[in-house]
Amino acid sequence: AYNVSVGTYALSTLTTNSGSTAVGYNALGLLVTGGANSALGYNALYKTTGTNNTGMGYSVLYENTSGAQNTALGTYCLDNNTTASNNTGVGYAALGANTTGASNTAVGVSALAANTTGYSNTVVGSTAMDATTTGYKAVGIGYGALGANTTGFQVTAVGYDAGSGHTEGYNNTFMGINAGAAITTGAENCIMGSEAGRYATGSPTTAFGHNAGTGTNGSATGEGNTAIGHQALREFTSGGSNVAVGANV
């Protein structure tokens, strides 16, 4: 009762439960008992047996079975999700590969597109964290933020290409355009400022300020450096354990 279906095979197998809406060919096509689902689009939520899911777009949440409380808006969004719940994907292919990863939020074209089992990630921006597969508790905000991250966890990157080279590190913070863009597998880095730590590869690095701890492209391997101030330690190379406080020092 209280169900709405529009389109060939939409809600065609429903037997019990109520409050579902299906619009489009095969929308909620295999739903038998789940309730309070809303599907709009070709094959939207086709295999769903769960409850409280909302999907709009071509093949959104197509593979979803028992997953619940998921929201998908955009073609192929969350289309491989099976049993995971509490995910939100907005944008073409956002969370498209996700299978069992739960409590993820991805907004933007291909945001978190490769994620499979990673959980509790928050991503806003086109291609942000689009290579992440199993990483968890990460935040990427801005175009390309944490774009190369695969399994890194507990990482925060805010800004265009912030932490864009990061792959497997953990407990890192990058804020600002290109901040910490060359750090790949390091840990305990805290870099804030436009271009701050852009070429630095050593860990841990602490940098605050525009161009602080930027380093020399291709040779900024020094570890344990601290740079605070406009362009502090801007052109360092292999030296480590340095502390620079002040502009242009």
Side-chain angles (χ1 to χ4, degrees), residues 45 47-51 53 61-70 78-87 95 97-104 116-119:
L45 287 118
K47 299 181 181 180
T48 292
T49 59
T51 60
N53 294 293
L61 283 164
Y62 176 83
E63 296 287 348
N64 191 71
T65 53
S66 59
Q69 287 86 240
N70 293 298
L78 276 162
D79 62 326
N80 284 298
N81 194 79
T82 54
T83 60
S85 299
N86 304 316
N87 290 298
L95 281 166
N98 194 75
T99 53
T100 59
S103 301
N104 294 294
T116 54
T117 60
Y119 60 92

Side-chain angles (χ1 to χ4, degrees), residues 33 58 84 86 104 113 133 136 149 151 220:
T33 60
Y58 181 90
N86 304 316
N104 294 294
T133 53
Y136 57 91
N149 191 72
T151 59

Side-chain angles (χ1 to χ4, degrees):
Y2 308 109
N3 297 296
V4 177
S5 63
V6 179
T8 304
Y9 304 124
L11 277 174
S12 58
T13 60
L14 184 67
T15 57
T16 58
N17 236 321
S18 61
S20 290
T21 301
V23 179
Y25 180 89
N26 268 345
L28 286 169
L30 297 183
L31 183 68
V32 178
T33 60
N37 292 294
S38 298
L40 173 60
Y42 181 93
N43 280 334
L45 287 118
Y46 174 61
K47 299 181 181 180
T48 292
T49 59
T51 60
N52 301 310
N53 294 293
T54 301
M56 180 182 297
Y58 181 90
S59 289
V60 294
L61 283 164
Y62 176 83
E63 296 287 348
N64 191 71
T65 53
S66 59
Q69 287 86 240
N70 293 298
T71 301
L73 175 59
T75 299
Y76 299 123
C77 187
L78 276 162
D79 62 326
N80 284 298
N81 194 79
T82 54
T83 60
S85 299
N86 304 316
N87 290 298
T88 299
V90 180
Y92 177 88
L95 281 166
N98 194 75
T99 53
T100 59
S103 301
N104 294 294
T105 299
V107 180
V109 174
S110 295
L112 269 176
N115 191 73
T116 54
T117 60
Y119 60 92
S120 299
N121 294 299
T122 301
V123 179
V124 180
S126 178
T127 70
M129 288 182 66
D130 60 336
T132 296
T133 53
T134 60
Y136 57 91
K137 295 181 181 178
V139 176
I141 300 177
Y143 178 92
L146 289 174
N149 191 72
T150 52
T151 59
F153 59 95
Q154 293 173 191
V155 182
T156 299
V158 179
Y160 177 93
D161 274 345
S164 58
H166 189 273
T167 56
E168 303 172 359
Y170 58 93
N171 295 343
N172 293 306
T173 300
F174 310 111
M175 293 189 179
I177 295 174
N178 290 318
I183 290 176
T184 56
T185 60
E188 316 296 343
N189 295 286
C190 187
I191 300 175
M192 298 183 184
S194 175
E195 307 289 338
R198 178 172 185 177
Y199 301 119
T201 59
S203 296
T205 293
T206 301
F208 292 89
H210 173 69
N211 275 332
T214 298
T216 302
N217 190 7
S219 60
T221 58
E223 299 180 349
N225 289 308
T226 299
I228 301 175
H230 176 73
Q231 298 192 142
L233 279 180
R234 179 180 180 180
E235 297 181 358
F236 83 92
T237 54
S238 59
S241 301
N242 297 293
V243 176
V245 179
N248 300 308
V249 295

